[in-house]
Amino acid sequence: GQQLNQSPQSMFIQEGEDVSMNCTSSSIFNTWLWYKQDPGEGPVLLIALYKAGELTSNGRLTAQFGITRKDSFLNISASIPSDVGIYFCAGRDQTGANNLFFGTGTRLTVIP
Amino acid sequence: DAGVIQSPRHEVTEMGQEVTLRCKPISGHNSLFWYRQTMMRGLELLIYFNNNVPIDDSGMPEDRFSAKMPNASFSTLKIQPSEPRDSAVYFCASSPPWETQYFGPGTRLLVL
C-alpha cells in the first residue's frame, strides 16, 4: 500500500511559537487532508486540499498541497495550549479508490 | 446534526469472547470505514463500504474479524473469538462519495 511519511514524530514547543510539520507520499495524490486528534477522541478534520499548489488557511492553521502532488505541509502560527494533540496527514491516491492513507502522526506538546 | 455514532465507547472482555462494535454513519453519507488505532501501528484501515457493499477488506487482520453493513444507517464490526492483541481503539468514519471522512469518537477495546 501507499506509504505516507510524516515528520516530525513529536514536537515540544513554547506557547506562542510557530509549528511546521509535513507529509510525503510515495506516489501522486489527488487529495490531502489534515486531521487533529485530541486524547480520547476521534480525528477531526482541520483542512482539506484538492489541487496542486493550493494554499488554504483555517484560523491560525495553514496547509499547502505540494506542487509535485507528493507532499503537503501544515503550519500552526502562534501556538496555544489547546493546540496539543496528534496531527495526522491523510491522502487519496489516483487509483480512484475511495479510501484514505494516513500518516503516522505528529504529537504536539505546547509548553505554557 | 449528529456526527458518526459508535457504541459502546468502552468494552472490556475476556479472551475468547465475541465482541461486536456498532456504528451509525452520518445521514446521507454513502461510504463507511472501519479503522483500528494502536500505538505500534497507528491508524489502520480495516474495511470500507460504498453504498453498503464492502469494497476493500484487505486490512481485516484475519478470519476472526468480520464486518457487515445491512443498511445505510448501520454497520457492525465483529471479533470472534477475541484475543488480547485485538486491544485497540476502533474508529468508524463516514463520508459522501470521494469527500472527506468524518470520524466517530471510537470504541476502546480491552481484551484480557
Side-chain angles (χ1 to χ4, degrees):
Chain A
Q2 299 288 352
Q3 297 292 320
L4 286 192
N5 294 311
Q6 187 172 347
S7 64
Q9 285 190 331
S10 62
M11 301 181 75
F12 290 80
I13 61 168
Q14 290 288 140
E15 182 177 358
E17 289 183 353
D18 296 344
V19 174
S20 186
M21 58 192 79
N22 67 77
C23 203
T24 59
S25 63
S26 56
S27 62
I28 290 173
F29 276 22
N30 286 336
T31 303
W32 281 101
L33 307 168
W34 285 92
Y35 286 84
K36 182 193 178 197
Q37 186 176 21
D38 290 326
E41 300 295 331
V44 173
L45 181 70
L46 298 174
I47 293 179
L49 304 159
Y50 299 105
K51 274 173 35 176
E54 181 180 353
L55 186 71
T56 297
S57 293
N58 178 5
R60 293 178 297 106
L61 278 60
T62 302
Q64 184 158 30
F65 192 139
I67 284 292
T68 65
R69 298 172 69 186
K70 291 185 177 183
D71 62 342
S72 177
F73 72 76
L74 174 71
N75 286 344
I76 305 173
S77 62
S79 59
I80 59 178
S82 61
D83 291 334
V84 165
I86 303 176
Y87 292 79
F88 291 98
C89 63
R92 185 176 289 117
D93 66 15
Q94 296 187 106
T95 61
N98 194 16
N99 57 300
L100 294 175
F101 298 94
F102 279 81
T104 50
T106 295
R107 184 179 296 272
L108 178 64
T109 301
V110 179
I111 303 167
Chain B
D1 183 23
V4 175
I5 299 172
Q6 290 187 246
S7 65
R9 293 293 309 271
H10 303 271
E11 177 83 25
V12 180
T13 191
E14 290 187 344
M15 182 174 63
Q17 296 297 305
E18 178 180 293
V19 174
T20 300
L21 311 181
R22 297 173 175 80
C23 176
K24 177 177 168 55
I26 294 172
S27 177
H29 286 190
N30 72 335
S31 296
L32 184 140
F33 306 80
W34 282 102
Y35 291 89
R36 179 172 67 178
Q37 187 177 40
T38 60
M39 287 293 292
M40 292 296 294
R41 300 174 69 92
L43 203 56
E44 302 173 277
L45 176 67
L46 300 177
I47 185 172
Y48 80 93
F49 297 82
N50 280 351
N51 296 314
N52 312 337
V53 176
I55 301 301
D56 183 356
D57 64 355
S58 59
M60 295 286 262
E62 49 199 89
D63 292 346
R64 297 185 297 106
F65 284 69
S66 63
K68 293 182 179 180
M69 191 164 186
N71 57 62
S73 59
F74 183 66
S75 177
T76 60
L77 178 68
K78 187 175 292 187
I79 309 172
Q80 167 63 19
S82 58
E83 297 181 2
R85 60 191 169 121
D86 301 331
S87 299
V89 182
Y90 291 81
F91 288 105
C92 175
S94 71
S95 78
W98 282 271
E99 292 194 18
T100 56
Q101 296 178 18
Y102 296 85
F103 283 75
T107 295
R108 281 145 190 80
L109 174 64
L110 177 61
V111 183
L112 302 173

